[in-house]
Short mmCIF file of all heavy atoms in Angstrom, two decimals:
data_model
loop_
_atom_site.label_atom_id
_atom_site.label_comp_id
_atom_site.label_asym_id
_atom_site.label_seq_id
_atom_site.Cartn_x
_atom_site.Cartn_y
_atom_site.Cartn_z
N MET U 1 99.67 97.37 87.65
CA MET U 1 99.27 96.03 87.31
C MET U 1 99.88 95.66 85.96
O MET U 1 99.78 96.43 85.01
CB MET U 1 97.75 95.95 87.24
CG MET U 1 97.28 94.63 86.72
SD MET U 1 95.51 94.53 86.44
CE MET U 1 94.93 94.60 88.11
N ILE U 2 100.50 94.51 85.89
CA ILE U 2 101.05 94.02 84.63
C ILE U 2 99.93 93.27 83.90
O ILE U 2 99.34 92.34 84.45
CB ILE U 2 102.25 93.08 84.87
CG1 ILE U 2 103.36 93.85 85.55
CG2 ILE U 2 102.73 92.48 83.56
CD1 ILE U 2 104.54 92.98 85.98
N LEU U 3 99.63 93.69 82.69
CA LEU U 3 98.54 93.07 81.94
C LEU U 3 99.01 92.05 80.92
O LEU U 3 98.21 91.33 80.35
CB LEU U 3 97.71 94.16 81.23
CG LEU U 3 97.02 95.14 82.17
CD1 LEU U 3 96.27 96.19 81.36
CD2 LEU U 3 96.07 94.45 83.10
N SER U 4 100.31 91.98 80.69
CA SER U 4 100.80 91.01 79.70
C SER U 4 101.09 89.68 80.39
O SER U 4 101.38 89.64 81.58
CB SER U 4 102.06 91.55 79.02
OG SER U 4 103.07 91.78 79.99
N PRO U 5 101.01 88.59 79.65
CA PRO U 5 101.32 87.29 80.26
C PRO U 5 102.76 87.22 80.74
O PRO U 5 103.63 87.90 80.22
CB PRO U 5 101.10 86.30 79.10
CG PRO U 5 100.29 87.03 78.09
CD PRO U 5 100.62 88.49 78.27
N ARG U 6 102.98 86.38 81.70
CA ARG U 6 104.30 86.19 82.28
C ARG U 6 104.68 84.72 82.09
O ARG U 6 104.11 83.86 82.75
CB ARG U 6 104.26 86.55 83.76
CG ARG U 6 105.57 86.49 84.43
CD ARG U 6 105.39 86.99 85.88
NE ARG U 6 106.62 86.95 86.58
CZ ARG U 6 107.11 85.89 87.21
NH1 ARG U 6 106.43 84.76 87.19
NH2 ARG U 6 108.26 85.94 87.82
N TYR U 7 105.61 84.46 81.19
CA TYR U 7 105.98 83.08 80.87
C TYR U 7 107.37 82.69 81.34
O TYR U 7 107.76 81.54 81.21
CB TYR U 7 105.89 82.83 79.35
CG TYR U 7 104.49 83.02 78.82
CD1 TYR U 7 104.15 84.09 78.03
CD2 TYR U 7 103.50 82.09 79.13
CE1 TYR U 7 102.86 84.26 77.55
CE2 TYR U 7 102.21 82.25 78.65
CZ TYR U 7 101.90 83.33 77.86
OH TYR U 7 100.63 83.47 77.39
N SER U 8 108.14 83.63 81.84
CA SER U 8 109.49 83.30 82.28
C SER U 8 109.72 83.83 83.69
O SER U 8 108.91 84.56 84.24
CB SER U 8 110.51 83.91 81.31
OG SER U 8 110.38 85.31 81.31
N GLY U 9 110.83 83.45 84.27
CA GLY U 9 111.15 83.90 85.60
C GLY U 9 110.68 82.90 86.65
O GLY U 9 110.11 81.85 86.32
N PRO U 10 110.91 83.22 87.89
CA PRO U 10 110.53 82.28 88.96
C PRO U 10 109.02 82.15 89.07
O PRO U 10 108.26 83.05 88.70
CB PRO U 10 111.11 82.92 90.22
CG PRO U 10 111.24 84.37 89.89
CD PRO U 10 111.52 84.43 88.40
N THR U 11 108.58 81.01 89.59
CA THR U 11 107.16 80.76 89.80
C THR U 11 106.61 81.77 90.79
O THR U 11 107.22 82.03 91.82
CB THR U 11 106.97 79.33 90.35
OG1 THR U 11 107.54 78.42 89.42
CG2 THR U 11 105.50 79.01 90.54
N VAL U 12 105.46 82.34 90.47
CA VAL U 12 104.85 83.34 91.33
C VAL U 12 104.10 82.68 92.47
O VAL U 12 104.19 83.07 93.63
CB VAL U 12 103.90 84.26 90.52
CG1 VAL U 12 103.21 85.26 91.42
CG2 VAL U 12 104.68 84.99 89.44
N VAL U 13 103.34 81.64 92.16
CA VAL U 13 102.55 80.93 93.16
C VAL U 13 102.84 79.44 93.02
O VAL U 13 102.84 78.91 91.92
CB VAL U 13 101.04 81.18 92.97
CG1 VAL U 13 100.23 80.34 93.94
CG2 VAL U 13 100.72 82.63 93.11
N THR U 14 103.07 78.79 94.13
CA THR U 14 103.27 77.35 94.14
C THR U 14 102.28 76.75 95.12
O THR U 14 102.18 77.20 96.26
CB THR U 14 104.70 76.99 94.59
OG1 THR U 14 105.63 77.61 93.70
CG2 THR U 14 104.92 75.49 94.57
N ILE U 15 101.54 75.76 94.68
CA ILE U 15 100.58 75.06 95.53
C ILE U 15 101.09 73.64 95.73
O ILE U 15 101.23 72.90 94.77
CB ILE U 15 99.17 75.05 94.91
CG1 ILE U 15 98.67 76.48 94.72
CG2 ILE U 15 98.21 74.23 95.77
CD1 ILE U 15 97.38 76.60 93.96
N GLU U 16 101.39 73.33 96.97
CA GLU U 16 101.90 72.00 97.27
C GLU U 16 100.76 71.04 97.47
O GLU U 16 99.65 71.42 97.82
CB GLU U 16 102.79 72.06 98.51
CG GLU U 16 104.04 72.92 98.26
CD GLU U 16 105.00 72.89 99.42
OE1 GLU U 16 104.91 71.99 100.27
OE2 GLU U 16 105.84 73.79 99.46
N GLY U 17 101.02 69.77 97.26
CA GLY U 17 100.01 68.74 97.44
C GLY U 17 99.33 68.40 96.14
O GLY U 17 99.74 68.82 95.06
N ASP U 18 98.27 67.63 96.27
CA ASP U 18 97.49 67.19 95.11
C ASP U 18 96.75 68.39 94.50
O ASP U 18 96.06 69.11 95.21
CB ASP U 18 96.49 66.13 95.56
CG ASP U 18 95.76 65.50 94.38
OD1 ASP U 18 95.23 66.25 93.54
OD2 ASP U 18 95.71 64.26 94.33
N PRO U 19 96.87 68.59 93.18
CA PRO U 19 96.16 69.72 92.56
C PRO U 19 94.65 69.68 92.80
O PRO U 19 94.00 70.71 92.87
CB PRO U 19 96.48 69.58 91.06
CG PRO U 19 97.75 68.80 91.03
CD PRO U 19 97.71 67.88 92.23
N GLY U 20 94.10 68.49 92.97
CA GLY U 20 92.68 68.37 93.22
C GLY U 20 92.25 68.93 94.57
O GLY U 20 91.08 69.23 94.79
N ASP U 21 93.23 69.12 95.47
CA ASP U 21 92.91 69.66 96.80
C ASP U 21 92.34 71.08 96.73
O ASP U 21 91.65 71.49 97.65
CB ASP U 21 94.16 69.67 97.69
CG ASP U 21 94.62 68.27 98.07
OD1 ASP U 21 93.84 67.30 97.87
OD2 ASP U 21 95.74 68.14 98.56
N VAL U 22 92.65 71.80 95.67
CA VAL U 22 92.14 73.17 95.56
C VAL U 22 90.75 73.22 94.96
O VAL U 22 90.10 74.25 94.99
CB VAL U 22 93.10 74.07 94.74
CG1 VAL U 22 94.46 74.15 95.39
CG2 VAL U 22 93.19 73.62 93.30
N ALA U 23 90.25 72.09 94.45
CA ALA U 23 88.96 72.09 93.76
C ALA U 23 87.82 72.48 94.70
O ALA U 23 86.97 73.31 94.33
CB ALA U 23 88.69 70.73 93.13
N VAL U 24 87.77 71.90 95.88
CA VAL U 24 86.65 72.16 96.79
C VAL U 24 86.59 73.65 97.18
O VAL U 24 85.56 74.28 97.02
CB VAL U 24 86.70 71.24 98.02
CG1 VAL U 24 85.68 71.65 99.08
CG2 VAL U 24 86.46 69.80 97.59
N PRO U 25 87.69 74.24 97.68
CA PRO U 25 87.60 75.66 98.02
C PRO U 25 87.37 76.55 96.80
O PRO U 25 86.69 77.58 96.89
CB PRO U 25 88.92 75.99 98.71
CG PRO U 25 89.80 74.82 98.48
CD PRO U 25 88.95 73.67 98.09
N LEU U 26 87.91 76.18 95.64
CA LEU U 26 87.71 76.99 94.44
C LEU U 26 86.24 76.98 94.04
O LEU U 26 85.65 78.04 93.78
CB LEU U 26 88.57 76.47 93.28
CG LEU U 26 88.39 77.22 91.97
CD1 LEU U 26 88.91 78.65 92.08
CD2 LEU U 26 89.11 76.49 90.84
N VAL U 27 85.62 75.83 94.01
CA VAL U 27 84.21 75.73 93.66
C VAL U 27 83.36 76.48 94.68
O VAL U 27 82.42 77.21 94.31
CB VAL U 27 83.76 74.25 93.53
CG1 VAL U 27 82.25 74.14 93.43
CG2 VAL U 27 84.44 73.61 92.33
N ARG U 28 83.68 76.35 95.94
CA ARG U 28 82.93 77.06 96.99
C ARG U 28 83.02 78.57 96.80
O ARG U 28 82.04 79.29 96.88
CB ARG U 28 83.50 76.64 98.36
CG ARG U 28 82.60 76.90 99.52
CD ARG U 28 83.08 76.24 100.80
NE ARG U 28 84.51 76.30 100.99
CZ ARG U 28 85.28 75.26 101.34
NH1 ARG U 28 84.75 74.06 101.51
NH2 ARG U 28 86.57 75.41 101.51
N GLN U 29 84.22 79.06 96.48
CA GLN U 29 84.41 80.49 96.25
C GLN U 29 83.64 80.95 95.02
O GLN U 29 83.01 82.00 95.03
CB GLN U 29 85.91 80.79 96.10
CG GLN U 29 86.24 82.25 95.95
CD GLN U 29 86.21 82.75 94.51
OE1 GLN U 29 86.34 81.99 93.57
NE2 GLN U 29 86.04 84.03 94.35
N ARG U 30 83.68 80.16 93.94
CA ARG U 30 82.99 80.56 92.72
C ARG U 30 81.47 80.56 92.93
O ARG U 30 80.77 81.40 92.37
CB ARG U 30 83.37 79.63 91.55
CG ARG U 30 84.83 79.78 91.13
CD ARG U 30 85.09 81.21 90.64
NE ARG U 30 86.49 81.51 90.52
CZ ARG U 30 87.20 81.43 89.43
NH1 ARG U 30 86.67 81.04 88.31
NH2 ARG U 30 88.48 81.76 89.45
N LEU U 31 80.95 79.64 93.74
CA LEU U 31 79.51 79.64 94.03
C LEU U 31 79.12 80.89 94.82
O LEU U 31 78.08 81.50 94.55
CB LEU U 31 79.12 78.37 94.79
CG LEU U 31 79.15 77.08 93.98
CD1 LEU U 31 78.93 75.87 94.88
CD2 LEU U 31 78.12 77.12 92.87
N ARG U 32 79.96 81.28 95.78
CA ARG U 32 79.68 82.51 96.54
C ARG U 32 79.69 83.71 95.60
O ARG U 32 78.84 84.61 95.70
CB ARG U 32 80.70 82.70 97.66
CG ARG U 32 80.48 81.81 98.85
CD ARG U 32 81.27 82.26 100.08
NE ARG U 32 82.67 82.55 99.81
CZ ARG U 32 83.68 81.68 99.91
NH1 ARG U 32 83.43 80.43 100.27
NH2 ARG U 32 84.92 82.04 99.66
N LEU U 33 80.64 83.76 94.68
CA LEU U 33 80.71 84.86 93.72
C LEU U 33 79.47 84.88 92.83
O LEU U 33 78.91 85.95 92.58
CB LEU U 33 81.98 84.75 92.87
CG LEU U 33 82.17 85.82 91.80
CD1 LEU U 33 82.21 87.22 92.42
CD2 LEU U 33 83.44 85.56 91.01
N ALA U 34 79.02 83.73 92.37
CA ALA U 34 77.83 83.66 91.52
C ALA U 34 76.61 84.15 92.29
O ALA U 34 75.77 84.88 91.73
CB ALA U 34 77.60 82.23 91.03
N GLU U 35 76.49 83.77 93.57
CA GLU U 35 75.36 84.23 94.37
C GLU U 35 75.40 85.75 94.53
O GLU U 35 74.36 86.41 94.45
CB GLU U 35 75.38 83.55 95.74
CG GLU U 35 75.02 82.09 95.68
CD GLU U 35 75.25 81.36 97.00
OE1 GLU U 35 75.67 82.01 98.00
OE2 GLU U 35 75.01 80.15 97.04
N LEU U 36 76.58 86.30 94.75
CA LEU U 36 76.71 87.74 94.89
C LEU U 36 76.39 88.45 93.57
O LEU U 36 75.62 89.41 93.54
CB LEU U 36 78.13 88.12 95.34
CG LEU U 36 78.44 89.60 95.40
CD1 LEU U 36 77.60 90.28 96.48
CD2 LEU U 36 79.93 89.81 95.67
N ALA U 37 76.94 87.95 92.47
CA ALA U 37 76.72 88.57 91.16
C ALA U 37 75.24 88.56 90.77
O ALA U 37 74.78 89.47 90.08
CB ALA U 37 77.56 87.87 90.10
N ALA U 38 74.51 87.57 91.22
CA ALA U 38 73.08 87.49 90.90
C ALA U 38 72.30 88.64 91.52
O ALA U 38 71.18 88.92 91.09
CB ALA U 38 72.51 86.15 91.38
N THR U 39 72.89 89.32 92.49
CA THR U 39 72.20 90.45 93.14
C THR U 39 72.58 91.80 92.55
O THR U 39 72.01 92.81 92.95
CB THR U 39 72.51 90.47 94.65
OG1 THR U 39 73.89 90.84 94.85
CG2 THR U 39 72.23 89.13 95.30
N PHE U 40 73.52 91.85 91.60
CA PHE U 40 74.01 93.12 91.06
C PHE U 40 72.91 93.84 90.27
O PHE U 40 72.18 93.22 89.49
CB PHE U 40 75.20 92.91 90.12
CG PHE U 40 76.48 92.51 90.80
CD1 PHE U 40 77.57 92.13 90.03
CD2 PHE U 40 76.62 92.49 92.17
CE1 PHE U 40 78.77 91.76 90.61
CE2 PHE U 40 77.81 92.12 92.77
CZ PHE U 40 78.89 91.75 91.99
N THR U 41 72.87 95.13 90.45
CA THR U 41 72.01 95.98 89.63
C THR U 41 72.75 96.29 88.32
O THR U 41 73.95 96.04 88.21
CB THR U 41 71.70 97.30 90.35
OG1 THR U 41 72.93 98.04 90.49
CG2 THR U 41 71.06 97.07 91.70
N GLU U 42 72.04 96.87 87.36
CA GLU U 42 72.71 97.25 86.11
C GLU U 42 73.83 98.24 86.37
O GLU U 42 74.90 98.15 85.75
CB GLU U 42 71.69 97.83 85.12
CG GLU U 42 72.29 98.15 83.75
CD GLU U 42 72.99 96.96 83.08
OE1 GLU U 42 72.48 95.83 83.18
OE2 GLU U 42 74.04 97.17 82.46
N ALA U 43 73.63 99.16 87.29
CA ALA U 43 74.67 100.12 87.62
C ALA U 43 75.90 99.43 88.21
O ALA U 43 77.04 99.81 87.90
CB ALA U 43 74.14 101.16 88.60
N GLU U 44 75.68 98.42 89.03
CA GLU U 44 76.82 97.69 89.62
C GLU U 44 77.55 96.89 88.55
O GLU U 44 78.78 96.81 88.56
CB GLU U 44 76.33 96.78 90.74
CG GLU U 44 75.90 97.59 91.97
CD GLU U 44 75.18 96.75 93.01
OE1 GLU U 44 74.38 95.84 92.64
OE2 GLU U 44 75.40 97.02 94.21
N TRP U 45 76.83 96.29 87.61
CA TRP U 45 77.47 95.56 86.51
C TRP U 45 78.34 96.50 85.67
O TRP U 45 79.39 96.11 85.16
CB TRP U 45 76.44 94.88 85.61
CG TRP U 45 75.94 93.58 86.13
CD1 TRP U 45 74.69 93.32 86.59
CD2 TRP U 45 76.65 92.34 86.25
NE1 TRP U 45 74.60 92.01 86.99
CE2 TRP U 45 75.78 91.39 86.78
CE3 TRP U 45 77.96 91.96 85.94
CZ2 TRP U 45 76.17 90.08 87.04
CZ3 TRP U 45 78.35 90.65 86.20
CH2 TRP U 45 77.46 89.73 86.74
N SER U 46 77.90 97.72 85.50
CA SER U 46 78.59 98.69 84.65
C SER U 46 79.67 99.47 85.38
O SER U 46 80.43 100.22 84.76
CB SER U 46 77.58 99.68 84.06
OG SER U 46 76.63 98.97 83.30
N ALA U 47 79.75 99.32 86.69
CA ALA U 47 80.71 100.08 87.50
C ALA U 47 82.15 99.71 87.13
O ALA U 47 82.43 98.57 86.71
CB ALA U 47 80.47 99.82 88.98
N PRO U 48 83.08 100.64 87.27
CA PRO U 48 84.48 100.32 87.02
C PRO U 48 85.01 99.36 88.07
O PRO U 48 84.53 99.34 89.21
CB PRO U 48 85.18 101.69 87.09
CG PRO U 48 84.25 102.58 87.82
CD PRO U 48 82.88 102.03 87.66
N SER U 49 85.97 98.56 87.68
CA SER U 49 86.62 97.64 88.62
C SER U 49 87.98 98.20 88.99
O SER U 49 88.35 99.29 88.56
CB SER U 49 86.76 96.26 87.97
OG SER U 49 87.77 96.31 86.98
N ARG U 50 88.75 97.44 89.73
CA ARG U 50 90.12 97.86 90.05
C ARG U 50 91.00 97.91 88.80
O ARG U 50 92.00 98.59 88.77
CB ARG U 50 90.75 96.90 91.06
CG ARG U 50 90.19 97.02 92.43
CD ARG U 50 90.93 96.13 93.38
NE ARG U 50 90.39 96.21 94.71
CZ ARG U 50 90.90 95.58 95.75
NH1 ARG U 50 91.95 94.80 95.59
NH2 ARG U 50 90.36 95.70 96.94
N CYS U 51 90.62 97.14 87.78
CA CYS U 51 91.30 97.17 86.50
C CYS U 51 90.72 98.35 85.72
O CYS U 51 89.56 98.30 85.32
CB CYS U 51 91.11 95.87 85.74
SG CYS U 51 91.65 94.42 86.62
N SER U 52 91.48 99.37 85.53
CA SER U 52 90.96 100.64 85.03
C SER U 52 90.17 100.56 83.71
O SER U 52 89.29 101.37 83.47
CB SER U 52 92.07 101.66 84.89
OG SER U 52 93.03 101.23 83.93
N GLN U 53 90.47 99.61 82.88
CA GLN U 53 89.80 99.51 81.59
C GLN U 53 88.63 98.51 81.61
O GLN U 53 87.99 98.28 80.57
CB GLN U 53 90.79 99.11 80.49
CG GLN U 53 91.94 100.08 80.34
CD GLN U 53 91.44 101.48 79.91
OE1 GLN U 53 90.67 101.61 78.99
NE2 GLN U 53 91.89 102.49 80.64
N TRP U 54 88.37 97.87 82.75
CA TRP U 54 87.36 96.82 82.83
C TRP U 54 86.24 97.22 83.77
O TRP U 54 86.47 97.74 84.85
CB TRP U 54 87.97 95.53 83.35
CG TRP U 54 88.90 94.83 82.42
CD1 TRP U 54 89.63 95.38 81.42
CD2 TRP U 54 89.19 93.44 82.42
NE1 TRP U 54 90.37 94.41 80.80
CE2 TRP U 54 90.13 93.20 81.39
CE3 TRP U 54 88.78 92.38 83.18
CZ2 TRP U 54 90.64 91.95 81.11
CZ3 TRP U 54 89.28 91.11 82.92
CH2 TRP U 54 90.19 90.91 81.88
N SER U 55 85.01 96.91 83.36
CA SER U 55 83.86 97.06 84.25
C SER U 55 83.75 95.80 85.10
O SER U 55 84.45 94.80 84.86
CB SER U 55 82.58 97.23 83.43
OG SER U 55 82.27 96.01 82.75
N VAL U 56 82.86 95.84 86.07
CA VAL U 56 82.59 94.64 86.87
C VAL U 56 82.14 93.51 85.94
O VAL U 56 82.56 92.36 86.09
CB VAL U 56 81.53 94.94 87.96
CG1 VAL U 56 81.05 93.67 88.63
CG2 VAL U 56 82.10 95.92 88.98
N ARG U 57 81.31 93.84 84.94
CA ARG U 57 80.84 92.83 83.99
C ARG U 57 82.02 92.18 83.26
O ARG U 57 82.06 90.96 83.07
CB ARG U 57 79.89 93.47 82.97
CG ARG U 57 79.39 92.50 81.90
CD ARG U 57 78.43 93.17 80.93
NE ARG U 57 77.11 93.25 81.52
CZ ARG U 57 76.50 94.38 81.88
NH1 ARG U 57 77.09 95.54 81.67
NH2 ARG U 57 75.31 94.36 82.41
N ASP U 58 83.01 92.97 82.87
CA ASP U 58 84.19 92.45 82.18
C ASP U 58 84.96 91.47 83.07
O ASP U 58 85.42 90.42 82.60
CB ASP U 58 85.13 93.58 81.77
CG ASP U 58 84.53 94.52 80.75
OD1 ASP U 58 83.71 94.07 79.92
OD2 ASP U 58 84.88 95.72 80.79
N VAL U 59 85.11 91.81 84.34
CA VAL U 59 85.85 90.96 85.27
C VAL U 59 85.11 89.64 85.46
O VAL U 59 85.73 88.55 85.40
CB VAL U 59 86.08 91.67 86.62
CG1 VAL U 59 86.69 90.72 87.64
CG2 VAL U 59 86.96 92.90 86.43
N ILE U 60 83.81 89.69 85.68
CA ILE U 60 83.03 88.47 85.88
C ILE U 60 83.05 87.61 84.62
O ILE U 60 83.19 86.39 84.69
CB ILE U 60 81.58 88.80 86.30
CG1 ILE U 60 81.56 89.53 87.65
CG2 ILE U 60 80.73 87.53 86.35
CD1 ILE U 60 82.04 88.75 88.83
N ALA U 61 82.96 88.23 83.46
CA ALA U 61 83.03 87.48 82.19
C ALA U 61 84.38 86.79 82.06
O ALA U 61 84.47 85.64 81.61
CB ALA U 61 82.77 88.40 81.00
N HIS U 62 85.44 87.47 82.46
CA HIS U 62 86.78 86.88 82.41
C HIS U 62 86.86 85.67 83.34
O HIS U 62 87.34 84.59 82.95
CB HIS U 62 87.83 87.92 82.79
CG HIS U 62 89.20 87.35 82.95
ND1 HIS U 62 89.96 86.94 81.87
CD2 HIS U 62 89.95 87.13 84.04
CE1 HIS U 62 91.11 86.48 82.31
NE2 HIS U 62 91.13 86.58 83.62
N ILE U 63 86.37 85.83 84.55
CA ILE U 63 86.40 84.72 85.51
C ILE U 63 85.60 83.54 84.99
O ILE U 63 86.05 82.40 85.04
CB ILE U 63 85.89 85.19 86.89
CG1 ILE U 63 86.89 86.16 87.51
CG2 ILE U 63 85.65 84.01 87.81
CD1 ILE U 63 86.38 86.88 88.75
N ALA U 64 84.42 83.82 84.46
CA ALA U 64 83.59 82.75 83.91
C ALA U 64 84.28 82.06 82.74
O ALA U 64 84.17 80.85 82.56
CB ALA U 64 82.23 83.31 83.48
N GLY U 65 85.00 82.84 81.95
CA GLY U 65 85.71 82.28 80.80
C GLY U 65 86.86 81.37 81.16
O GLY U 65 87.20 80.45 80.40
N ILE U 66 87.48 81.59 82.32
CA ILE U 66 88.59 80.74 82.70
C ILE U 66 88.19 79.58 83.62
O ILE U 66 88.97 78.69 83.89
CB ILE U 66 89.75 81.53 83.35
CG1 ILE U 66 89.33 82.16 84.67
CG2 ILE U 66 90.31 82.57 82.39
CD1 ILE U 66 90.49 82.69 85.48
N ASN U 67 86.92 79.60 84.08
CA ASN U 67 86.45 78.52 84.92
C ASN U 67 86.74 77.12 84.35
O ASN U 67 87.16 76.24 85.07
CB ASN U 67 84.96 78.65 85.21
CG ASN U 67 84.69 79.44 86.47
OD1 ASN U 67 85.56 79.64 87.30
ND2 ASN U 67 83.46 79.87 86.63
N PRO U 68 86.51 76.89 83.04
CA PRO U 68 86.75 75.55 82.51
C PRO U 68 88.20 75.08 82.66
O PRO U 68 88.47 73.88 82.65
CB PRO U 68 86.38 75.69 81.02
CG PRO U 68 85.40 76.81 80.98
CD PRO U 68 85.87 77.77 82.05
N LEU U 69 89.12 75.99 82.83
CA LEU U 69 90.53 75.60 83.02
C LEU U 69 90.74 74.89 84.34
O LEU U 69 91.71 74.16 84.51
CB LEU U 69 91.44 76.83 82.95
CG LEU U 69 91.43 77.60 81.64
CD1 LEU U 69 92.29 78.85 81.78
CD2 LEU U 69 91.94 76.74 80.50
N TYR U 70 89.85 75.10 85.28
CA TYR U 70 90.00 74.53 86.62
C TYR U 70 89.08 73.36 86.89
O TYR U 70 89.01 72.86 88.00
CB TYR U 70 89.77 75.63 87.67
CG TYR U 70 90.77 76.72 87.57
CD1 TYR U 70 90.49 77.91 86.91
CD2 TYR U 70 92.04 76.56 88.10
CE1 TYR U 70 91.44 78.91 86.80
CE2 TYR U 70 93.00 77.55 87.99
CZ TYR U 70 92.69 78.73 87.34
OH TYR U 70 93.62 79.72 87.21
N VAL U 71 88.37 72.92 85.88
CA VAL U 71 87.43 71.80 86.09
C VAL U 71 88.01 70.52 85.59
O VAL U 71 88.74 70.45 84.67
CB VAL U 71 86.08 72.09 85.39
CG1 VAL U 71 85.10 70.98 85.64
CG2 VAL U 71 85.52 73.42 85.86
#
């Protein structure tokens, strides 16, 4: 996994159409994630994630921190 930002080179993901078209599925997905996270035990919050240096709590905090970028 590359952890550094990528600012050059070809576009990795391109979404065609109106950017607002992704809002509904994105919000729906984030609500499902919030419902799931509300059920986590302390052990699940502290569990390692696929990112070797991050716990599940770290990943969820990161996602929550970038949410305002999509609103």
Side-chain angles (χ1 to χ4, degrees):
M1 173 187 292
I2 297 174
L3 297 178
S4 59
R6 184 175 180 275
Y7 298 108
S8 61
T11 303
V12 177
V13 175
T14 302
I15 299 173
E16 296 185 19
D18 187 310
D21 291 346
V22 300
V24 171
L26 178 67
V27 169
R28 199 169 40 228
Q29 184 272 338
R30 293 299 166 95
L31 289 173
R32 284 194 312 268
L33 179 59
E35 290 171 1
L36 175 65
T39 70
F40 289 172
T41 64
E42 184 55 39
E44 289 169 323
W45 279 112
S46 301
S49 72
R50 289 184 181 184
C51 302
S52 63
Q53 301 298 311
W54 289 26
S55 68
V56 169
R57 178 179 280 113
D58 296 328
V59 173
I60 297 295
H62 172 72
I63 291 170
I66 64 168
N67 269 343
L69 298 175
Y70 297 99
V71 182

